[in-house]
Amino acid sequence: MKSPVTPLGEFALIGRFFKEASEAMLAAQPHSVALGIGDDCALLRVSPIDELAITSDMLVEGRHFFVDANPEWLGYKALAVNLSDLAAMGAKPLGFTLALALPEADANWLQSFSKGLFAAAQAFECPLVGGDTTAGPLNICITAFGNVPKGLAIKRSGAQVEDDIWVSGTVGDARLTLAALRHELDLNPQDLEAIQHRMHQPSPRIALGLALRGVAHAALDISDGLLGDLKHLLEGSQKDAEVYLDRLPKSPTLLKQAIHFQNQFAASGGDDYELCFTAPQRLRSKIEEIGRTLQLPLTQIGRIKPMQSERAVLTVLSADGMPIDESQTALLLQSFDHFA
Amino acid sequence: MKSPVTPLGEFALIGRFFKEASEAMLAAQPHSVALGIGDDCALLRVSPIDELAITSDMLVEGRHFFVDANPEWLGYKALAVNLSDLAAMGAKPLGFTLALALPEADANWLQSFSKGLFAAAQAFECPLVGGDTTAGPLNICITAFGNVPKGLAIKRSGAQVEDDIWVSGTVGDARLTLAALRHELDLNPQDLEAIQHRMHQPSPRIALGLALRGVAHAALDISDGLLGDLKHLLEGSQKDAEVYLDRLPKSPTLLKQAIHFQNQFAASGGDDYELCFTAPQRLRSKIEEIGRTLQLPLTQIGRIKPMQSERAVLTVLSADGMPIDESQTALLLQSFDHFA
């Protein structure tokens, strides 16, 4: 699910509006909701043993994908972004529903969309269980379900002072792909080929989420940009943090680009669907072991600090340990809107 | 969720396409799906005690509601139709997600939509737990969750030979309302006032669904028209049935109309969201007691018969016990498309 602050200011307000109405209702009557709106997933109490994690995303043509998007990639990505929300909670996928509005029943498009969708479903063992199809402007709404043992869901609100802040994989390649497609910079065909799957077919970090149960204090997935999303985690946890800009993990392809592109794309690129999580320093070797087991680099990029004012503050440090200037920080924290 | 056969032939094919792909995947790998695509809800195994019922509906402007629809009614109905699917399975609502695409952030529209949505949420104790809001052509996708004790979900496939066929409440008023609004017939303002809530704010029969656990053999909710929907139940159960046309329960307002309107609207009107269910004859007094307790008329309209050919057949009988002619039957069985 989207965080309350998105590039679309007024739609963020709508989200906040529904969140408040939901909270008022939950406060007024008994219910089975263990966690409501505002995290990567909601949690429902459905069993004495497990909680059910639920996430829903609506993808609209022209807003979340281009009109001529490859339907196979689109099918894959539509499910993958929901699975990424399950991963961020430490939930194991159980199934998903697909509601699809289509302007016309185009057999080739559907065949291809379905191929991508079921490729993701099979790769992450998350079967399609129901849904709806109707005529209408192209709209893809997927709701995904996962289970997580009671009390082990990894929320945005759990970060503790002195926790390490970690990021999985590398960040910035989805944004670099878009930059190449938009001719914002030149990328040779081999380099584009090497990274474009990061934008089109992101890998939800399900196995990592499962391994982080009982290890990470807090987590979220990086959909809008690493630093902007980390800011949401800090707001959820009511903590400050320091992050070293030089430590953001980048692919060899991104490392070939000009330094300002490297920093901007890694910090605020979005669409990478890596996990950002916090964990106590004493578990550092445990986390390194998880990375080795999963063959997924895990990089420690900073530290959680006590909150110094009424609002959570993320300080970005340069290599010498000094904060970078405020205007640059603001730029790096800005969530990236692929369709702005 | 929509039944596989809808007024939109080609979109029905799409539904079938996803259903087959889903079944192929479920056959090939272990999973937690107790019931997949094709019933009112899917069922997930989430607990040693309960199953989770899931349903998803996508409502598109111009297709499922009019462009100038009253947003309060729309909010109410968008949730109510999903709750009706839970009711049809005998599931108790736990919560729902809302994904909403809006062309613009219109505060008045949202206030009103939200008022209707939360009115239904409170009335049926089903809190909003998450979702997504985005810019795009108006599209409302709700996914609702309920729980039902293991083995007690009421499926479409459970009807037994010699079961009674029952209908709750009255049918046809939603279609009569539409006919009045479309000037297909004249209805005085008092009569319209008396029935129009049936179209705009349908009552999901949650309490009835719960009371029918362990009583009904099969059930579904009436969204597309009583006889057309009953046909889906027969196909799911692989049974034939006989129904007495004169027994279809009608409101006093519908009973004032010409007999051909009465029959057509009650049999095929759709949008009533009553339950149609089957139960053994020995439970007739139990069912009458449920109706009295809930102050909801329950009417026995026919009987389940053994299947005589390769396809389930629904025979409609006139008052003298003779089948009405085939072309009239076909007309009564035709699902009604409000936007055809």
Side-chain angles (χ1 to χ4, degrees), chain A residues 1-2 8 10-11 14-15 17-18 21-22 25-26 29 31-33 36-37 42 44 46-49 52 54 56-58 60 63-64 94 97-102 104-105 110-111 113-114 117-118 121-122 125-137 139 141 143 145, chain B residues 1-2 8 10-11 14-15 17-18 21-22 25-26 29 31-33 36-37 42 44 46-49 52 54 56-58 60 63-64 94 97-102 104-105 110-111 113-114 117-118 121-122 125-137 139 141 143 145:
Chain A
M1 288 179 281
K2 290 283 177 246
L8 273 169
E10 54 189 2
F11 286 87
I14 297 168
F17 174 73
F18 283 113
S22 167
M25 182 173 155
L26 292 175
Q29 60 186 47
H31 57 79
S32 303
V33 183
I37 298 173
L44 279 188
V46 292
S47 149
I49 304 158
L52 183 79
I54 301 170
S56 189
D57 274 292
M58 180 171 266
V60 174
R63 166 105 212 108
H64 303 97
L94 287 172
T97 58
L98 166 71
L100 187 63
L102 289 171
E104 54 178 350
L110 268 165
Q111 198 78 39
F113 176 83
S114 166
L117 182 79
F118 280 95
Q122 279 176 343
E125 298 177 17
C126 188
L128 175 66
V129 299
D132 200 3
T133 49
T134 183
N139 185 307
C141 182
T143 306
F145 321 100
Chain B
M1 288 177 282
K2 291 283 176 246
L8 274 169
E10 55 190 1
F11 286 88
I14 297 168
F17 173 72
F18 283 112
S22 167
M25 182 174 156
L26 292 176
Q29 61 186 47
H31 58 80
S32 302
V33 183
I37 297 172
L44 279 191
V46 292
S47 150
I49 304 159
L52 183 80
I54 302 169
S56 189
D57 274 294
M58 180 171 266
V60 174
R63 166 107 211 107
H64 302 98
L94 287 173
T97 58
L98 166 70
L100 187 62
L102 289 171
E104 54 179 349
L110 268 165
Q111 196 78 39
F113 175 84
S114 167
L117 181 80
F118 280 96
Q122 279 176 342
E125 297 177 18
C126 188
L128 175 65
V129 299
D132 200 4
T133 49
T134 183
N139 185 308
C141 182
T143 306
F145 320 98

Side-chain angles (χ1 to χ4, degrees), chain B residues 57-290:
Chain B
D57 274 294
M58 180 171 266
L59 304 182
V60 174
E61 186 176 76
R63 166 107 211 107
H64 302 98
F65 55 89
F66 297 111
V67 173
D68 59 352
N70 175 327
E72 185 175 343
W73 287 344
L74 184 59
Y76 190 98
K77 188 165 176 175
L79 179 55
V81 301
N82 280 283
L83 295 175
S84 179
D85 283 319
L86 294 181
M89 301 294 287
K92 186 174 185 306
L94 287 173
F96 72 101
T97 58
L98 166 70
L100 187 62
L102 289 171
E104 54 179 349
D106 173 340
N108 288 334
W109 189 95
L110 268 165
Q111 196 78 39
S112 187
F113 175 84
S114 167
K115 187 177 171 192
L117 181 80
F118 280 96
Q122 279 176 342
F124 300 99
E125 297 177 18
C126 188
L128 175 65
V129 299
D132 200 4
T133 49
T134 183
L138 185 52
N139 185 308
I140 305 162
C141 182
I142 286 181
T143 306
F145 320 98
N147 70 335
V148 56
K150 222 175 191 175
L152 286 190
I154 312 165
K155 302 175 189 173
R156 295 183 176 190
S157 58
Q160 300 296 318
V161 172
E162 294 303 312
D163 271 3
D164 289 328
I165 301 169
W166 296 82
V167 177
S168 66
T170 62
V171 283
D173 280 357
R175 178 68 182 88
L176 178 56
T177 301
L178 188 71
L181 295 177
R182 278 185 177 170
H183 308 290
E184 292 170 15
L185 49 71
D186 283 326
L187 204 63
N188 66 54
Q190 296 90 322
D191 281 345
L192 180 60
E193 182 66 29
I195 61 162
Q196 65 177 359
H197 67 283
R198 295 303 308 265
M199 177 176 166
H200 300 308
Q201 296 183 292
S203 282
R205 300 303 186 190
I206 295 289
L208 177 60
L210 298 180
L212 291 176
R213 287 175 179 174
V215 173
H217 279 155
L220 47 58
D221 72 324
I222 305 168
S223 53
D224 295 337
L226 167 56
L227 296 191
D229 284 330
L230 175 56
K231 188 83 187 293
H232 298 318
L233 186 149
L234 299 177
E235 287 157 358
S237 295
Q238 292 286 289
K239 297 286 181 293
D240 288 352
E242 289 176 353
V243 163
Y244 287 87
L245 187 56
D246 289 359
R247 292 199 196 164
L248 306 192
K250 297 160 200 154
S251 72
T253 308
L254 183 55
L255 284 167
K256 288 191 216 169
Q257 311 308 314
I259 186 71
H260 72 279
F261 282 132
Q262 287 188 35
N263 286 337
Q264 190 65 43
F265 292 180
S268 73
D271 243 13
D272 292 308
Y273 298 97
E274 295 292 350
L275 296 189
C276 175
F277 59 96
T278 84
Q281 294 177 39
R282 63 182 165 77
L283 293 181
R284 216 172 270 185
S285 63
K286 169 76 183 163
I287 289 166
E288 286 161 356
E289 187 195 315
I290 290 171

